[in-house]
């Protein structure tokens, strides 16, 4: 009986330790030790944001997140619609043309929205850091996949 209790205690201890390790690793992705939102930690460090600047950027980021998700969802839906059309058809169709036009329209809408967000974020920074941030964002937009949404649609 004594061996069973020791074994049970050992199993519980291993289980609790495993849970704590996994929980801690999962939480690292959400918040860093200094309380920084992990998605924006790089921005805070790279552009040496003050706490006040960081709070403004964080508010903008949280407000923009659903807008960005909506752009991605609509783009992905149109991309899948186009893929389905092209798989079913062996010749050009007006439906495929319309899907391509809608895809381009949504991409433009996304880029314009993201650029406005980037200018809002840059306005929270010093003039020099804001210019550097905008240069980086503009380069990302020119590459054509600002949020990784085009890769996600495949």
């Amino acid at each position: 009986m004594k061996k069973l209790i020791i074994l049970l205690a050992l199993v519980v201890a291993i289980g609790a330790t495993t849970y704590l390790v996994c929980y801690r690793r999962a939480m690292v992705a959400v918040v860093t030790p200094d309380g920084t939102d992990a998605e924006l930690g790089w921005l805070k460090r790279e552009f040496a944001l003050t706490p006040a600047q960081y709070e403004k950027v964080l508010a903008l980021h949280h407000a923009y997140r659903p807008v960005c998700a909506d752009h991605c969802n609509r783009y992905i839906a149109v991309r899948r619609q186009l893929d389905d059309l092209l798989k079913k058809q062996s010749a050009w169709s007006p439906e495929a043309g319309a899907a391509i036009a809608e895809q381009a329209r949504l991409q433009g809408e996304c880029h314009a929205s993201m650029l406005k967000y980037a200018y809002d974020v840059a306005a929270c920074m010093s003039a020099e850091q804001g210019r550097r941030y905008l240069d980086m964002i503009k380069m990302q937009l020119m590459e054509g996949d600002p949020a990784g949404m085009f890769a996600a649609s495949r």
Side-chain angles (χ1 to χ4, degrees):
M1 183 71 160
K2 190 174 181 181
K3 288 182 181 180
L4 180 61
I5 292 173
I6 291 173
L7 182 62
L8 208 63
L10 187 59
V11 168
V12 169
I14 291 171
T17 303
T18 302
Y19 172 79
L20 290 174
V21 168
C22 291
Y23 177 78
R24 220 178 136 93
R25 286 186 181 187
M27 292 312 293
V28 166
V30 178
V31 177
T32 60
D34 68 351
T36 303
D37 184 306
E39 270 186 289
L40 296 179
W42 72 273
L43 189 74
K44 183 178 183 181
R45 287 185 304 277
E46 178 69 25
F47 295 97
L49 299 179
T50 66
Q53 290 171 321
Y54 176 73
E55 287 302 317
K56 289 177 185 176
V57 169
L58 187 61
L60 288 170
H61 180 71
H62 288 292
Y64 186 69
R65 187 180 286 157
V67 173
C68 183
D70 179 59
H71 289 307
C72 288
N73 290 335
R74 290 187 297 144
Y75 180 89
I76 289 167
V78 168
R79 176 67 184 252
R80 287 187 177 142
Q81 177 189 9
L82 177 60
D83 287 345
D84 289 345
L85 279 170
L86 295 177
K87 286 176 188 173
K88 293 175 186 172
Q89 298 174 347
S90 59
W92 177 252
S93 71
E95 292 85 11
I100 290 171
E102 180 63 5
Q103 180 180 327
R105 188 191 71 74
L106 287 173
Q107 185 176 354
E109 183 181 308
C110 172
H111 283 197
S113 176
M114 185 168 192
L115 194 55
K116 182 197 178 305
Y117 164 75
Y119 275 102
D120 291 344
V121 168
C124 298
M125 300 176 180
S126 69
E128 179 185 328
Q129 296 291 49
R131 275 190 303 277
R132 193 165 69 86
Y133 172 74
L134 285 172
D135 287 344
M136 182 188 74
I137 293 297
K138 288 174 188 174
M139 185 185 312
Q140 185 79 16
L141 281 173
M142 296 303 172
E143 290 175 5
D145 191 7
M149 72 180 183
F150 306 138
S153 68
R154 290 183 177 94

